Amino acid sequence: MEISTLATYHCLAFVWYFFIAYSITHVKTEERPSEVFLYGGQWKYLTVLNLVLQAVFYGVSFLADVLRLIKKLRCAKCIISSRDLLFSVLAFPVSTFVCISFWTLYTYNRELVYPKSLDGVIPLWLNHAMHTAVLPFALLEILALPHRYPAKKKGLILLGFVTFLYISWVLWIYSVTGEWVYPLFALFSPLGLAAFFASSLAVIIAFYNFGEFLNRMIWGQSKFS
């Protein structure tokens, strides 16, 4: 794909994610159901954090495209490395995890992840923008251009560290409020919850490997250490 076309695509994707993140973070206080958006606000939900992550990723991608267009190749090289690391370790696996896990749990029992009371606050299109469209965007990014993946150990350590930070945030919120971010967590014993978090980490690692596999199948081997 031509650099100018990539720049246009990444710019539009950035604007889209910025708009979606802005929309969900500006839900009027008086419209929010009492059981959600309390301590931690929207920033306790992985879905919202993912929207910000995607906006940052596409912003970095657009910057890399612009630098290439204006022939600032030395600066572009650094930004491209950051773009690829951000996509491989976080943007692709987190988007895939958000989409697959949300709709799996929603189909099983929506009250565990997305209470029906939210239907009157968050329109259907915004729900799909947050939980459905993120996966096609991630797949389109892989098709649009190659991304260099880090060494496996480095990539998994970074992914595991970020996962640990989010789990710590969830546990901190529970310690302060006595309420779980997602009602699903209340169904587990401490040991069961630990097993759930461990299995979630295993799933997101599988999505990391899947993204690397797709990138390699489409573009060939492209790694950096």
Side-chain angles (χ1 to χ4, degrees):
M1 188 179 292
E2 295 292 331
I3 299 177
S4 58
T5 305
L6 277 175
T8 301
Y9 162 63
H10 285 144
C11 180
L12 291 175
F14 168 74
V15 171
W16 167 255
Y17 274 113
F18 183 87
F19 168 69
I20 298 303
Y22 178 87
S23 298
I24 193 61
T25 55
H26 284 75
V27 173
K28 294 181 180 179
T29 303
E30 61 271 17
E31 295 179 350
R32 300 173 184 175
S34 58
E35 67 271 24
V36 296
F37 301 146
L38 299 176
Y39 184 86
Q42 293 96 328
W43 307 111
K44 62 185 177 181
Y45 296 111
L46 185 60
T47 294
V48 177
L49 295 175
N50 180 56
L51 294 176
V52 176
L53 167 65
Q54 300 306 317
V56 170
F57 165 70
Y58 283 105
V60 171
S61 298
F62 176 61
L63 176 60
D65 297 335
V66 170
L67 290 174
R68 291 173 67 194
L69 282 171
I70 63 176
K71 307 301 182 183
K72 299 289 186 180
L73 300 183
R74 180 174 297 180
C75 294
K77 184 177 180 180
C78 179
I79 299 299
I80 288 171
S81 294
S82 299
R83 177 202 69 190
D84 288 346
L85 188 63
L86 191 59
F87 179 77
S88 61
V89 174
L90 293 177
F92 182 85
V94 174
S95 285
T96 308
F97 181 83
V98 165
C99 180
I100 300 299
S101 62
F102 175 82
W103 288 112
T104 298
L105 292 169
Y106 185 99
T107 301
Y108 174 72
N109 182 356
R110 66 169 296 176
E111 294 298 319
L112 297 177
V113 290
Y114 194 83
K116 192 172 179 61
S117 56
L118 284 174
D119 289 346
V121 179
I122 301 176
L124 183 61
W125 72 266
L126 185 53
N127 181 21
H128 282 293
M130 295 188 297
H131 297 115
T132 307
V134 291
L135 181 54
F137 265 102
L139 293 173
L140 181 58
E141 180 65 21
I142 285 185
L143 292 172
L145 75 161
H147 297 83
R148 293 183 297 169
Y149 272 67
K152 180 75 72 173
K153 182 178 179 180
K154 177 181 178 181
L156 294 182
I157 287 175
L158 289 173
L159 178 59
F161 178 70
V162 173
T163 303
F164 172 77
L165 288 180
Y166 180 69
I167 292 174
S168 298
W169 174 227
V170 168
L171 294 175
W172 171 257
I173 292 173
Y174 177 75
S175 72
V176 172
T177 66
E179 299 289 337
W180 287 110
V181 172
Y182 298 103
L184 169 70
F185 297 159
L187 301 178
F188 296 107
S189 65
L191 184 60
L193 190 62
F196 177 81
F197 286 147
S199 62
S200 296
L201 176 59
V203 169
I204 201 169
I205 287 175
F207 291 146
Y208 170 92
N209 290 325
F210 178 62
E212 185 178 27
F213 169 78
L214 287 179
N215 186 75
R216 185 171 61 250
M217 288 298 99
I218 296 171
W219 301 103
Q221 192 76 359
S222 181
K223 291 188 176 184
F224 63 98
S225 56

